Amino acid sequence: MKFIPVVCLVLCTLAVSAQGPRVAFRFSPLALVDEPSFPTIQGGIEYSISSRFSWFNEFGWKYRRSYYETADTTWHPNRGFKLKSELRFYLGDAPRRMEGPYLALNAFFTKDHHTTSIIYFFQGDSSKRRYDDFGVIKTVSGANLVFGIQRRYRKHQLVETYAGLGIRVRDVFTSNREFDNDRDHLIGWHHPNLHVNRNRVDATTGKTVLLNLTVGLRIGWK
């Protein structure tokens, strides 16, 4: 956690040292309701290196529990953060600074502390229904190749949309857990369900490598 103030200081230094159109600020409204992951107040700074290249950094802080975090017991303080750093290359014959379509490569890291609640059949026996509340610490790191479009409206307002694909490494650690994946059976629905999927992830400890799809919207000021 000690590196968070350092990252914030670097971002602020870039903003102060930049002049004119070399810096743009971003806010991610969809991050406020990111229930599948965890909701954050999230913003970033883009610094123009040249007419084609820029460096974007983003930070989000968990400000409340996710809708799916329903446990009454608190095994861990509910907190989390998200970090992202991205190098962008703007396309086009004569690109304007930080405007138009772009390709980017980013790296990201998230960490989430929460308590989850699951229902399961003890030893797979449907007559033995158990409830389990346990603490979860989940970290996710990875990288994405991104395509986005940044448009300017009026004089200084920006709207950005993007989509990308990459990989992520998820690492889950639990505490005070009674459920055993090898012995018990998690109760859920047969059709896809975000709540059940979160419970299954929270109850599976260790590292997992997965594909990562990212899409989003940002609004900003240049």
Side-chain angles (χ1 to χ4, degrees):
M1 298 293 287
K2 293 181 179 179
F3 65 89
I4 296 178
V6 176
V7 172
C8 295
L9 179 61
V10 171
L11 297 184
C12 291
T13 301
L14 285 173
V16 171
S17 62
Q19 300 294 327
R22 288 186 177 273
V23 68
F25 300 90
R26 300 285 189 283
F27 175 69
S28 300
L30 298 181
L32 294 169
V33 291
D34 187 5
E35 307 299 340
S37 176
F38 55 92
T40 57
I41 298 173
Q42 190 164 309
I45 299 173
E46 182 179 5
Y47 177 72
S48 176
I49 301 171
S50 68
S51 61
R52 289 192 181 273
F53 285 96
S54 70
W55 184 32
F56 176 66
N57 292 279
E58 190 171 44
F59 175 75
W61 189 260
K62 186 176 184 179
Y63 71 100
R64 64 173 174 84
R65 296 196 306 176
S66 168
Y67 172 79
Y68 299 108
E69 295 170 22
T70 57
D72 294 329
T73 305
T74 302
W75 291 110
H76 287 301
N78 198 286
R79 64 178 185 269
F81 66 89
K82 299 178 181 180
L83 287 174
K84 181 182 293 180
S85 187
E86 183 172 282
L87 183 63
R88 297 181 175 184
F89 176 76
Y90 282 88
L91 307 172
D93 295 332
R96 297 173 60 90
R97 288 185 184 271
M98 300 178 291
E99 291 183 31
Y102 66 83
L103 287 174
L105 181 65
N106 68 38
F108 63 90
F109 179 81
T110 73
K111 190 169 188 177
D112 182 29
H113 295 242
H114 65 272
T115 300
T116 195
S117 179
I118 63 172
I119 308 173
Y120 66 96
F121 294 137
F122 180 69
Q123 296 182 340
D125 187 343
S126 60
S127 66
K128 299 178 180 179
R129 178 175 294 196
R130 303 283 178 87
Y131 296 83
D132 192 10
D133 292 350
F134 55 91
V136 180
I137 300 176
K138 180 167 58 180
T139 62
V140 181
S141 58
N144 296 304
L145 181 64
V146 177
F147 174 76
I149 301 176
Q150 189 155 251
R151 298 181 177 89
R152 183 176 64 171
Y153 293 90
R154 298 182 182 177
K155 189 175 181 180
H156 299 292
Q157 297 174 4
L158 296 169
V159 176
E160 174 188 352
T161 55
Y162 64 90
L165 187 66
I167 61 170
R168 58 191 166 108
V169 179
R170 184 178 64 210
D171 194 5
V172 179
F173 171 80
T174 61
S175 60
N176 303 99
R177 189 189 69 180
E178 298 178 356
F179 172 81
D180 188 333
N181 265 311
D182 296 327
R183 178 195 65 192
D184 307 320
H185 177 71
L186 184 67
I187 299 176
W189 290 267
H190 295 293
H191 55 80
N193 183 280
L194 285 175
H195 193 184
V196 174
N197 184 65
R198 273 181 58 103
N199 289 344
R200 186 172 291 109
V201 169
D202 287 347
T204 305
T205 57
K207 291 186 178 181
T208 308
V209 180
L210 302 162
L211 286 176
N212 189 66
L213 175 65
T214 179
V215 293
L217 167 73
R218 299 185 181 101
I219 56 176
W221 182 83
K222 177 180 177 182

